Amino acid sequence: MFNLYVATNEREEDEERRRRDDGARMGRASHSRQVIQAVAQICRPSRSRNLDRSKQQRGTELLDDYFVCNSALPNTYLRRRFKMERHLFNKIIIVVCNHDSYFVQKKNVFGAMGLLPQQKITATLRILAYGASVDQVDEITKMGKSTILESLMRFC
């Protein structure tokens, strides 16, 4: 009887010791997990804010400068800049927009109008004709790098 009582006590003590060890291990693990999560939050690179490129304003300026009937700049500027007449450029826009709907101006999810076809094709022609870099084209058309490269790939 005595041996049975001692064995039961030892078993209970062993189980209690295991529970304490497991609890301490779990506490250490959860503390380690918390430390790792905190470090990950600190080290995680934050996403850069979206730039307000005023792309709508730049699109209307581009239209006003070159492509409307009573443009601000004479036809010689368009001819010198794009190495073609206005009617040829407009014909290219029509053909490209009919071929690929990517170049057609659409509304985005928020209801704001997207880029004009003239902006996308101007960026593409600048790169192809002059070997301009994406940064140079970005300054002219106010488009992002990924949009310029997508326009170039779809045009080609």
Side-chain angles (χ1 to χ4, degrees), residues 65-81:
D65 287 346
Y66 297 110
F67 300 110
V68 294
C69 292
N70 297 326
S71 60
L73 301 173
N75 286 340
T76 55
Y77 278 68
L78 183 124
R79 207 173 315 124
R80 186 173 59 201
R81 180 89 47 181

Side-chain angles (χ1 to χ4, degrees), residues 34-49:
Q34 290 172 352
V35 169
I36 290 170
Q37 288 173 347
V39 169
Q41 286 291 332
I42 293 169
C43 296
R44 180 180 299 148
S46 61
R47 184 173 171 221
S48 60
R49 293 178 30 203

Side-chain angles (χ1 to χ4, degrees), residues 50 55-56 104-115:
N50 290 336
K55 49 189 170 184
Q56 295 298 66
V104 177
Q105 186 181 25
K106 302 176 213 78
K107 286 186 178 182
N108 65 10
V109 176
F110 301 109
M113 294 303 287
L115 295 165

Side-chain angles (χ1 to χ4, degrees), residues 84-153:
M84 65 181 82
E85 296 286 333
R86 179 183 295 140
H87 68 87
L88 179 60
F89 192 88
N90 288 334
K91 191 172 183 177
I92 291 172
I93 289 174
I94 291 168
V95 170
V96 169
C97 288
N98 286 336
H99 178 70
D100 191 353
S101 65
Y102 174 78
F103 291 96
V104 177
Q105 186 181 25
K106 302 176 213 78
K107 286 186 178 182
N108 65 10
V109 176
F110 301 109
M113 294 303 287
L115 295 165
L116 293 169
Q118 286 86 351
Q119 284 174 286
K120 293 178 182 178
I121 292 175
T122 297
T124 302
L125 291 177
R126 289 254 177 186
I127 291 174
L128 291 174
Y130 298 114
S133 70
V134 174
D135 292 329
Q136 291 171 328
V137 174
D138 176 30
E139 292 175 5
I140 296 165
T141 58
K142 300 293 185 192
M143 294 167 51
K145 177 181 177 182
S146 60
T147 308
I148 294 170
L149 294 175
E150 178 74 18
S151 298
L152 180 65
M153 292 300 295

